[in-house]
Amino acid sequence: MVENARKDDLTKVIAELEKKCEELPDNVIAHHHLAVVYRMAGRTADALRELERCLAIDPHAFQAQVNIGAIHFDNGDFDKALEANERALIMFPDSAAAHANLGMIWWQKGDAERSIASYKEALRLDSKMVTAWAGLASAHIMAGNFTDALAAAREGVKLEPDFPMGQNNLAVALYHNNNLAEAKAAAGKAGELGYPVDPRFLEALDKEI
């Protein structure tokens, strides 16, 4: 019932925004809002079309470029996501979000060092970006920098204790630093917050403790 209500709401909002875009065909904000709602509704092809429309109207609409990258990332096309975020940074070099996105993309591509560098740049620009602290922890774990991973994970959790991924990444960092009891507690909290903690990780913790 709730899901159907949400779909009905999105359909109504989409119709309103489509009408607004017809009335204001050169309004970047209108097309961007429509793209965001299309994405929420799972209409990624339509979202991409509207984001490209934003760039046609204003070639410097960097947020549209960032969102294009996000859609490609969600679709698993990391090369296109990388290209989109790099273009966004040409437009706006101080975009913490774009740097953080690059950190996530490089992590997915298995390049820990580039991932670390990108996350650090994001955090230089926005030291309170909790997702970047969690991502930096993961990148350090990939690189085998377990002490640095723990420091990053703790910083993120300090900023936002109820961020599920942050608690999960803290648990993994604690595990690699042999703080097993704390790791289990953090993993438990991540689960309570709704994060799908890897059952194999929980099993490994139980065996160690």
Side-chain angles (χ1 to χ4, degrees):
M1 183 72 76
V2 173
E3 184 65 25
N4 287 337
R6 182 174 179 273
K7 287 179 179 178
D8 289 342
D9 289 342
L10 285 176
T11 300
K12 182 179 178 181
V13 172
I14 286 171
E16 292 172 352
L17 288 172
E18 286 176 337
K19 183 178 179 182
K20 188 170 185 178
C21 287
E22 288 176 5
E23 295 170 350
L24 302 168
D26 294 327
N27 188 298
V28 173
I29 295 174
H31 285 283
H32 192 264
H33 285 171
L34 178 56
V36 170
V37 181
Y38 274 148
R39 186 182 176 197
M40 290 172 62
R43 295 172 58 176
T44 55
D46 290 329
L48 284 170
R49 184 194 68 236
E50 290 302 315
L51 292 169
E52 293 291 353
R53 175 63 181 156
C54 291
L55 290 169
I57 298 168
D58 178 6
H60 300 290
F62 86 95
Q63 191 58 55
Q65 192 70 66
V66 170
N67 286 345
I68 288 172
I71 291 174
H72 287 313
F73 183 88
D74 289 345
N75 290 340
D77 195 334
F78 303 130
D79 289 333
K80 284 186 178 180
L82 182 65
E83 181 182 353
N85 280 282
E86 287 178 337
R87 284 181 180 175
L89 287 172
I90 292 172
M91 301 174 190
F92 184 36
D94 288 342
S95 170
H99 284 291
N101 287 347
L102 288 179
M104 187 164 50
I105 294 163
W106 286 122
W107 186 87
Q108 286 286 351
K109 290 169 78 69
D111 192 327
E113 294 307 317
R114 284 187 177 180
S115 180
I116 290 168
S118 295
Y119 279 127
K120 283 185 174 180
E121 183 63 13
L123 290 164
R124 185 186 70 79
L125 295 163
D126 182 0
S127 62
K128 294 185 178 180
M129 184 182 287
V130 176
T131 54
W133 283 114
L136 179 59
S138 287
H140 275 309
I141 289 168
M142 179 184 285
N145 306 329
F146 301 134
T147 301
D148 291 337
L150 183 54
R154 285 196 189 283
E155 188 64 31
V157 167
K158 183 170 69 176
L159 287 167
E160 191 173 328
D162 291 336
F163 179 46
M165 182 186 293
Q167 287 290 344
N168 178 78
N169 291 4
L170 174 61
V172 177
L174 285 163
Y175 174 82
H176 284 292
N177 281 276
N178 296 314
N179 296 350
L180 302 180
E182 283 188 75
K184 188 167 185 177
K189 184 163 185 178
E192 290 171 7
L193 292 168
Y195 191 87
V197 182
D198 190 333
R200 295 168 297 180
F201 175 61
L202 294 174
E203 186 179 344
L205 274 174
D206 287 337
K207 287 180 180 179
E208 294 282 351
I209 296 176

